[in-house]
Amino acid sequence: MKPLLGTLYLLGILAPEGLGYDGSLAQTRRGVLEETVSPWRNLDTYSYTKYHPMEEIYQWMVQITEKYTGVVTQHFLGMTYETRPMYYLKISQPSANYKKIIWMDCGIHAREWIAPAFCQWFVKEILQNYKDNPRIGRLLRNLDFYVLPVLNIDGYIYTWTTDRLWRKSRSSHNNGTCFGTDLNRNFNVAWCSIGASKDCHHLTFCGTGPVSEPETKAVSSFVESKKESIVCFLTMHSYGQLILTPYGYTKNKSSNHEELIQVGQKAANALKKKHGTNYRVGSSADILYTTSGSSRDWARDIGIPFSYTFELRDNGTYGFILPASQIQATCEETMEAVLSVLDDVYEKYWDSDSAVKMTLTAMVLGLLVSFMSVL
Amino acid sequence: MLPRRQRPPASGPWGPRPAVLLLAPLLLALQGVAAAPAGAGGPEDSPGLQDAEFPSGLLQQAARAALHFFNFRAGSPSALRVLAAVLEGRATVNPKKGCQVDLVFTTDHYNPEVGEEHLGKCSARVFFRNQKPRPAINVTCTRLIEKNKRQEEDYLLYKHMKQLKTPLDVISIPDSHGHIDPSLRPIWDLAFLGSSYVMWEKTTQFLHYYMAQISSVNQWKTSDDAIDFDYTVLLHEFSTQEIIPCRIHLVWYPGKPLKVNYHCQELQTPEEASGTEEGSAVAPTELNNF
């Protein structure tokens, strides 16, 4: 009996690995870790400190959704120019509460690999910690997270197959003589007025018209449809170590500019505490350069109050080709910054203290008014 | 240099009235002062620059240009510096001639593997000529590494480089994942040194560059004991976001002035003729030890 059980036990351990074609088995067999795309990668062995090709990110989204059913759902957003599906993840804890939405997108520029890496890290952190971590748990009580891990999928794939430093999408122009639109110049806000080019050869090509690109259309249609609920729009880029507020298309400031700077500065301070990295905070036109048609400016102008562009590490030493060895530190510090913003957003709308104060004030005023009318 | 594209002038700094701001000559008196570790010149920078006439980006621009020039002039691949933070700065704008920036900034060691926090301090005067690259630069930095130690490190690097097997079996440095094999690290450092010259020469008040990747090593040999290095580098220009391939040829021997020739491509556009830029230089030394 015992030897039989022992044999069955052994089989139980070996069988899943023996049957599944996954990375761990490949490592054992060949003795060398090869970076092959494995159709059956186990989520437990998924490395968040490596860069992943698009096929693996698609798989990861499916597996994350399966592992955390009830909290995560995957949704179709639209098709890219090269007819690839765009998916976002919705992280939402079921409750009777009316939720507001936090939107985060990564990889609108293909070569900024650290950004999609951060989106994946962010999702992982939220899901692994929302039950035990009160800070994250609190956020999920009233907020839903919508995360688009790779916006410019065609471009991202192109950086893996052909040109590591490609930036734009892969749409064809001028009878196939030039390719790609800068998706972050294609949104319908002061389109192509400044800081963008009408020349399809240029890397800041704004497209053939506002929202001419299917990727831009997919994102803006969706965000527009949810704009009443979205309180925070975060778009992740690299490099430069900046937290940018609106606007790029003008030096004028948004109505809540002071608040955005304050929240942004607090986030930069939280980020710096983690690994000492310096981030600067300011409007795009002030501290970076002028741009028109950016998603951040567009989001602000359709009424989303907290709209930021994050430019992640580094400062130019490696630039876009940030070593994978820096993924962890970058993601950890960025996580602190994003959580800081989310805390401020949460406290603005749901802080129980301020809610009570507002109710009391309203009551007192109401009483005063009735007294006045009696006199 | 053919301007690639008309840069839309920002409203304000390049306005019709000459803007006059404070000059701080005593900034230059900081030469040779031992660096107290710079106060965390962090994200709250551009103190003292309350004037809305020009963006705080100009100070960063000037600091970068000054550092490229400093690195080139130092000619030492083991002592490369990167910008940490701008501490303070003043600028005078003359719409006809250009603009002069006086500033103080902190620097960090280029090689991130080095554990110690060795913040250095530099003061510089940078003059951007209108629409023209190659800003005139006067820069002094606190001496961080003993000169002897620096020469020793350079020599060790040199010996390491001489042992590299040629032809070098590399396609690009770093690879797509940002990895540089430790044995090839000196190549990256030396390439960055040569690129510093090119990047300084190409910088204007609007355009600034970073070295993105070495796309090919064309030749690596020792001639007359010096390292003779011919390579193609991809420079990233920030405001246009373009990637500029430059072919660079440099000759280096520790302690001797760096010799650089280069030839950069400008991207073809329908409206403009393609242009190429060439330049060459021999770095001046502080010691004149020819």
Side-chain angles (χ1 to χ4, degrees), chain A residues 125-268:
Chain A
E125 281 295 304
I126 297 292
L127 294 174
Q128 282 181 355
N129 295 303
Y130 77 96
K131 283 184 181 158
D132 304 319
N133 183 323
R135 186 187 191 190
I136 297 177
R138 171 177 91 148
L139 295 172
L140 277 180
R141 240 178 279 139
N142 288 292
L143 291 166
D144 287 345
F145 294 107
Y146 287 47
V147 181
L148 176 57
V150 184
L151 198 159
N152 180 6
I153 295 173
D154 298 344
Y156 185 70
I157 290 175
Y158 196 73
T159 59
W160 278 80
T161 59
T162 314
D163 181 354
R164 176 62 178 83
L165 293 171
W166 189 259
R167 166 185 169 88
K168 302 186 286 180
S169 68
R170 289 295 300 164
S171 53
S172 169
H173 303 279
N174 267 25
N175 286 330
T177 58
C178 59
F179 289 87
T181 297
D182 184 342
L183 297 174
N184 205 32
R185 301 289 186 277
N186 190 239
F187 282 78
N188 191 13
V189 60
W191 179 78
C192 226
S193 56
I194 195 173
S197 174
K198 289 243 165 100
D199 184 338
C200 65
H201 296 95
H202 289 164
L203 293 218
T204 53
F205 175 53
C206 52
T208 50
V211 205
S212 58
E213 305 306 305
E215 295 89 349
T216 325
K217 189 129 188 64
V219 172
S220 49
S221 307
F222 179 74
V223 170
E224 178 107 47
S225 72
K226 300 276 189 188
K227 68 179 179 185
E228 306 302 327
S229 306
I230 303 178
V231 283
C232 192
F233 182 94
L234 303 174
T235 179
M236 314 303 285
H237 292 240
S238 75
Y239 57 93
Q241 295 174 199
L242 304 165
I243 297 177
L244 300 170
T245 68
Y247 294 103
Y249 68 84
T250 172
K251 279 198 178 260
N252 293 343
K253 303 297 186 281
S254 62
S255 57
N256 62 342
H257 178 74
E258 290 302 322
E259 185 182 24
L260 287 178
I261 293 289
Q262 208 182 10
V263 170
Q265 194 53 66
K266 200 159 147 235

Side-chain angles (χ1 to χ4, degrees), chain B residues 133-166:
Chain B
R134 208 174 193 265
I137 300 187
N138 230 314
V139 57
T140 318
C141 297
T142 54
R143 199 178 284 288
L144 277 164
I145 310 174
E146 266 306 309
K147 187 161 158 292
N148 284 337
K149 185 154 196 298
R150 176 159 61 92
Q151 284 185 338
E152 185 190 344
E153 304 227 337
D154 275 349
Y155 192 73
L156 285 172
L157 218 63
Y158 165 76
K159 275 208 318 188
H160 179 116
M161 289 184 209
K162 283 204 24 169
Q163 279 160 19
L164 287 170
K165 275 174 279 196
T166 54

Side-chain angles (χ1 to χ4, degrees), chain B residues 70-120:
Chain B
F70 177 81
N71 282 326
F72 160 66
R73 195 186 61 188
S76 173
S78 67
L80 298 164
R81 310 294 299 175
V82 289
L83 179 64
V86 177
L87 296 183
E88 55 187 277
R90 297 285 188 275
T92 317
V93 177
N94 181 332
K96 283 189 199 137
K97 287 193 183 155
C99 85
Q100 176 174 294
V101 185
D102 289 298
L103 71 161
V104 179
F105 55 93
T106 53
T107 68
D108 221 328
H109 200 294
Y110 180 72
N111 193 330
E113 270 78 70
V114 179
E116 325 99 51
E117 270 285 317
H118 262 152
L119 273 187

Side-chain angles (χ1 to χ4, degrees), chain A residues 35 50-52 111-113 159-160 163-165 167 174 182 185 193-197 199 201-204 238-240 242 251 265 268-269 272 277-281 285-290 311 315-326, chain B residues 4-5 7-11 13 40-45 52 54-57 60 64 82-85 110-113 174-180 185 188 192 209-213 234 236-243 267-272:
Chain A
E35 300 203 276
K50 272 167 49 181
Y51 295 114
H52 291 275
R111 57 195 179 193
E112 299 166 12
W113 282 17
T159 59
W160 278 80
D163 181 354
R164 176 62 178 83
L165 293 171
R167 166 185 169 88
N174 267 25
D182 184 342
R185 301 289 186 277
S193 56
I194 195 173
S197 174
D199 184 338
H201 296 95
H202 289 164
L203 293 218
T204 53
S238 75
Y239 57 93
L242 304 165
K251 279 198 178 260
Q265 194 53 66
N269 295 343
K272 183 170 175 158
T277 309
N278 282 323
Y279 267 59
R280 291 182 296 132
V281 181
D286 280 348
I287 68 170
L288 189 60
Y289 44 52
T290 53
E311 295 279 356
N315 249 333
T317 308
Y318 291 100
F320 301 118
I321 313 186
L322 190 72
S325 56
Q326 288 193 41
Chain B
R4 292 190 58 249
R5 222 191 42 250
R7 168 113 188 150
S11 62
E44 323 76 26
D45 73 350
F54 54 85
S56 62
Q60 298 277 328
R64 281 184 288 255
V82 289
L83 179 64
Y110 180 72
N111 193 330
E113 270 78 70
D175 66 16
S176 285
H177 297 246
H179 178 68
I180 301 177
R185 179 83 215 187
W188 173 263
F192 182 78
Y209 298 83
Y210 296 98
M211 187 171 94
Q213 195 178 38
L234 300 175
H236 171 228
E237 199 291 302
F238 217 88
S239 61
T240 59
Q241 290 294 322
E242 300 287 343
I243 301 292
L267 297 173
Q268 301 262 3
T269 65
E271 310 95 313
E272 302 164 353

